Amino acid sequence: MDSSATIYMPVFSPPTPAASPGPDANAFSPIPISLPNNPVLRQQYLASLLHSLTPAELLFVSTTIAPLLKRDFIADLPTELALMVLGFIDEPRSLARASRVSRRWKTMVADEYLWRGMCLRIGFGSKEGAHGSEMEEFASLPMDPPQQWLEARRRSKSKRPSLPPLSQPPHSFSYFRHFKQSYSTMMNWRFGGTLLRAHRMAPTAAPPNGNPPNSVDVITSVALDKDWVVVGLANSKIHVFSSRTGVLARTLTGHDAGVWGVCLVSPGGSWVGERPHPREKHSVPPVWHPVLGLDLPVRETVPIPFPGKRSSPCSASDGWGQPNSLVVSGGCDKDLRVWDVRSGYPIHILSGHTSTIRCLKVLHNRPVAVTGSRDSTLRVWDVQLGRMLRSMPGHTGSVRCLDVCGNRAVSGSYDATCRLWNIDTGECIHVLRGHFHQIYSVAFDGVRIASGGLDTTVRVWDALSGQCLALLQGHTALVCQLQLSPSLPFSPNADSILVTGGSDGRVITFSLSDYTPLHRIAAHDSSVTSLQFDARWLVTAGNDGRVRLWEIKTGAYVRELSEAGESVWKVCFGGGTEAAENFAAAPSGHDGGGDVIAIMCKRGGKSVIEVWSQRPKDMLLF
């Protein structure tokens, strides 16, 4: 082996070390440069320094200095001026976004002054003052079992109890909270809502009289308030649903034939008008005394103000102080029945009519009901003591429709006349003649009377003089639906309107200031079966199976409120505060719409009852 042979060994380069960390571009230490104290010399020095920089360096200086020169002028203004500037924001979303700018802006945007102005601008009426008493009254009412279960489930899922803000008492009124709830309700009306329950009733067997099988399942009447939805059917039953959950609470049975009218009397309230003599004897069993308010102390008589409180389009009336909700019903068995909603038992069965009770109303804050019958008479009943007060004859044909306001009643009959009555005396004040055929609908606000009938016309009457103020035309068939917005006494509201619906499918809105049509709406392909409006929305239903939503001010179509069916019998919405329906107090608007919509229709051969809520989802149980 050659010892001189050369051995080559591989040599590897050492690893390249990591680069040393450079200076932090965001960390600047001040350069120890002493500048002159003279402001003029300092400016000259800075000017010469800037002139010596390159364009890229000048751009760097500009981007560095610009944030230092920004100034929050809103935060620097006095609070009063800052709120005045923010008050010019007329879009609620922009005002909400402004709260994200800074903590100072968030504090200012939370001021009640801004949200009060926003409520007035959009038309959300204030409920200040009544809010606390309303909540206290609600807290004293027991919840039905489904509500108790849902409330317990909601509380069990909650990680911590919801506490009111420290700066406000638990029941204090907040314009921000009021605006948030009203705005959410308005958006739900426009874009959605929550279906609480949909009840489908199995068809009833064909009756022995040869009528069609489904004729007994027809829904004839509905009443609604903030607690209950009451539905009367042609099969003699009355269903009561919770307006908060949509659950069927109970069924009232006792009528021997179809129910044609129901009215709901809300609990609470106070007595207005004449009282019966305290020593007057009655035969009411003692067990019903608390339910009917017979144990309440007799207070000073409060006179009925002119023109009085008009009837609700939801067929609900304010109570006279009784603790329970009551239902008053009438129908083909000729009897008027008074029911206790809480127990489901009938309190009174009142006889007197000799034919079908076709229409009925209950006065606000008084236990007085007025009924109209096919026997051509009207009768006045005391539903607290269970007796008939008086009969009011005069019509020569069936009494088809009825409306009340204060202590006055207006009836429409197949004899082509309307009559204005004094309920307390039974006196016929005026006989309104002018229609040529049967009258099917009337509306009364205490100042004006509107009537529509088979002659396709609508007439407006002065309730004080009995004179015809206007003859309104536009329909080509029976006018079967009417609703008036209320007029102020002796000074009609300039925004007062009349909305009419006919068998031709048209809905026409008339101005009551000059009696001209504001909107002519081709609402449905067949007869308009139901119609109701408030200061913001107009809801119509027809035999074409559609339920449609319109803007009342513009007549613009908004959307379909429910799935199409074969026909729609009744639609009713409400359940909100009285301010939501009180045009006289808030003619420019209200709280975005009522809370609950009840839709009664025929779909798939079955009677369907839908209960919808437009409340925000965090308020469905309240």
Side-chain angles (χ1 to χ4, degrees):
M1 181 176 181
D2 188 1
S3 60
S4 62
T6 303
I7 299 175
Y8 295 93
M9 296 294 293
V11 179
F12 298 97
S13 304
T16 304
S20 301
D24 188 358
N26 296 325
F28 294 97
S29 58
I31 301 176
I33 298 177
S34 60
L35 296 176
N37 294 329
N38 190 334
V40 178
L41 295 178
R42 292 169 68 93
Q43 292 178 1
Q44 291 178 357
Y45 177 82
L46 293 175
S48 62
L49 178 62
L50 293 176
H51 282 296
S52 65
L53 299 179
T54 64
E57 293 170 337
L58 287 174
L59 179 60
F60 171 75
V61 172
S62 175
T63 55
T64 304
I65 294 177
L68 301 178
L69 296 178
K70 289 183 177 179
R71 184 176 182 181
D72 188 353
F73 74 97
I74 292 291
D76 293 340
L77 287 174
T79 303
E80 293 79 4
L81 293 179
L83 292 177
M84 181 179 295
V85 173
L86 292 176
F88 286 100
I89 300 178
D90 57 359
E91 214 284 321
R93 294 181 183 271
S94 299
L95 189 59
R97 293 190 189 102
S99 64
R100 304 177 185 176
V101 173
S102 65
R103 293 182 179 178
R104 170 64 175 165
W105 281 49
K106 183 178 181 180
T107 302
M108 289 188 295
V109 170
D111 192 279
E112 289 289 283
Y113 167 80
L114 295 178
W115 295 105
R116 179 179 180 273
M118 190 66 72
C119 288
L120 296 177
R121 186 177 296 112
I122 297 185
F124 296 153
S126 169
K127 295 178 285 186
E128 186 173 9
H131 184 265
S133 60
E134 177 185 339
M135 293 300 296
E136 292 172 2
E137 180 181 356
F138 170 72
S140 64
L141 297 176
M143 292 188 292
D144 55 8
Q147 285 181 261
Q148 295 175 3
W149 180 83
L150 290 172
E151 174 65 8
R153 183 180 179 186
R154 185 189 68 83
R155 289 179 177 176
S156 64
K157 288 185 176 181
S158 178
K159 296 182 180 179
R160 58 182 180 179
S162 57
L163 298 177
L166 296 178
S167 59
Q168 295 179 349
H171 298 318
S172 65
F173 180 82
S174 168
Y175 278 102
F176 171 73
R177 184 168 57 246
H178 173 56
F179 179 87
K180 181 180 178 181
Q181 295 171 0
S182 300
Y183 188 80
S184 299
T185 300
M186 185 179 69
M187 290 296 102
N188 286 342
W189 269 98
R190 187 173 292 277
F191 298 110
T194 302
L195 177 61
L196 299 179
R197 283 289 193 284
H199 302 269
R200 293 172 174 83
M201 297 183 295
T204 307
N209 57 8
N211 291 335
N214 289 334
S215 63
V216 294
D217 296 324
V218 173
I219 296 170
T220 60
S221 50
V222 61
L224 182 151
D225 69 359
K226 61 185 179 65
D227 297 317
W228 307 106
V229 180
V230 181
V231 177
L233 293 90
N235 62 6
S236 76
K237 294 181 180 179
I238 301 173
H239 294 310
V240 181
F241 305 90
S242 169
S243 62
R244 292 186 175 92
T245 63
V247 174
L248 176 62
R250 54 192 52 88
T251 298
L252 310 180
T253 57
H255 280 285
D256 298 328
V259 177
W260 277 101
V262 293
C263 282
L264 181 59
V265 183
S266 302
S270 58
W271 196 301
V272 176
E274 296 182 1
R275 291 176 176 268
H277 195 276
R279 296 184 179 180
E280 193 169 357
K281 295 183 179 181
H282 58 78
S283 59
V284 180
V287 67
W288 295 121
H289 287 193
V291 175
L292 295 171
L294 287 172
D295 293 340
L296 296 175
V298 178
R299 300 179 180 177
E300 183 180 357
T301 301
V302 178
I304 300 175
F306 179 83
K309 193 172 183 180
R310 66 178 187 137
S311 63
S312 167
C314 299
S315 296
S317 62
D318 296 336
W320 54 88
Q322 85 287 354
N324 292 7
S325 295
L326 304 175
V327 171
V328 181
S329 62
C332 296
D333 60 2
K334 313 169 192 175
D335 292 335
L336 186 73
R337 292 177 181 253
V338 183
W339 311 79
D340 174 30
V341 173
R342 181 171 296 179
S343 65
Y345 288 107
I347 302 175
H348 298 304
I349 302 175
L350 308 178
S351 302
H353 282 293
T354 59
S355 187
T356 298
I357 296 176
R358 197 62 184 82
C359 48
L360 69 91
K361 294 288 184 181
V362 178
L363 304 188
H364 287 292
N365 305 118
R366 297 178 67 188
V368 176
V370 184
T371 57
S373 171
R374 287 176 177 166
D375 62 10
S376 305
T377 67
L378 286 84
R379 294 177 188 262
V380 183
W381 313 82
D382 185 333
V383 296
Q384 185 185 42
L385 301 181
R387 60 182 183 176
M388 186 180 70
L389 297 178
R390 61 190 57 87
S391 176
M392 298 189 295
H395 284 293
T396 59
S398 173
V399 179
R400 178 63 173 78
C401 46
L402 174 69
D403 202 3
V404 296
C405 183
N407 65 340
R408 300 287 192 268
V410 173
S411 58
S413 171
Y414 284 171
D415 62 7
T417 67
C418 292
R419 288 177 179 257
L420 177 65
W421 308 84
N422 185 318
I423 298 174
D424 293 330
T425 64
E427 175 193 2
C428 179
I429 302 174
H430 297 300
V431 180
L432 311 178
R433 294 184 173 89
H435 286 281
F436 298 102
H437 292 288
Q438 300 168 345
I439 296 175
Y440 277 77
S441 54
V442 293
F444 179 39
D445 65 2
V447 178
R448 296 186 179 97
I449 301 169
S451 59
L454 198 58
D455 59 4
T456 74
T457 65
V458 176
R459 289 179 179 266
V460 181
W461 314 81
D462 185 352
L464 299 179
S465 65
Q467 299 297 316
C468 182
L469 300 176
L471 172 64
L472 308 179
Q473 297 177 326
H475 289 283
T476 58
L478 164 70
V479 180
C480 49
Q481 304 294 329
L482 289 177
Q483 186 181 337
L484 273 170
S485 62
S487 304
L488 299 179
F490 305 113
S491 178
N493 182 5
D495 296 330
S496 295
I497 59 174
L498 167 67
V499 181
T500 66
S503 295
D504 53 5
R506 294 182 182 178
V507 173
I508 304 177
T509 302
F510 294 94
S511 169
L512 293 181
S513 58
D514 54 7
Y515 302 105
T516 58
L518 299 176
H519 313 295
R520 298 177 185 267
I521 304 173
H524 297 277
D525 297 331
S526 59
S527 177
V528 178
T529 57
S530 190
L531 176 153
Q532 186 180 338
F533 72 91
D534 59 15
R536 193 176 298 276
W537 308 113
L538 166 65
V539 178
T540 63
N543 265 332
D544 57 0
R546 306 281 183 173
V547 181
R548 293 190 166 114
L549 179 66
W550 316 81
E551 290 183 356
I552 188 63
K553 292 184 179 180
T554 64
Y557 171 76
V558 179
R559 67 182 181 97
E560 301 269 348
L561 288 177
S562 180
E563 179 185 351
E566 299 165 27
S567 61
V568 181
W569 292 307
K570 295 287 182 180
V571 171
C572 184
F573 72 89
T577 60
E578 181 62 25
E581 299 174 358
N582 190 352
F583 293 80
S588 60
H590 73 292
D591 304 311
D595 293 333
V596 180
I597 312 174
I599 299 174
M600 280 62 68
C601 62
K602 181 180 180 182
R603 190 179 297 150
K606 297 181 179 180
S607 297
V608 178
I609 302 172
E610 293 182 346
V611 182
W612 291 79
S613 175
Q614 305 299 343
R615 300 172 183 170
K617 291 187 177 180
D618 58 349
M619 291 181 58
L620 288 180
L621 291 177
F622 301 96

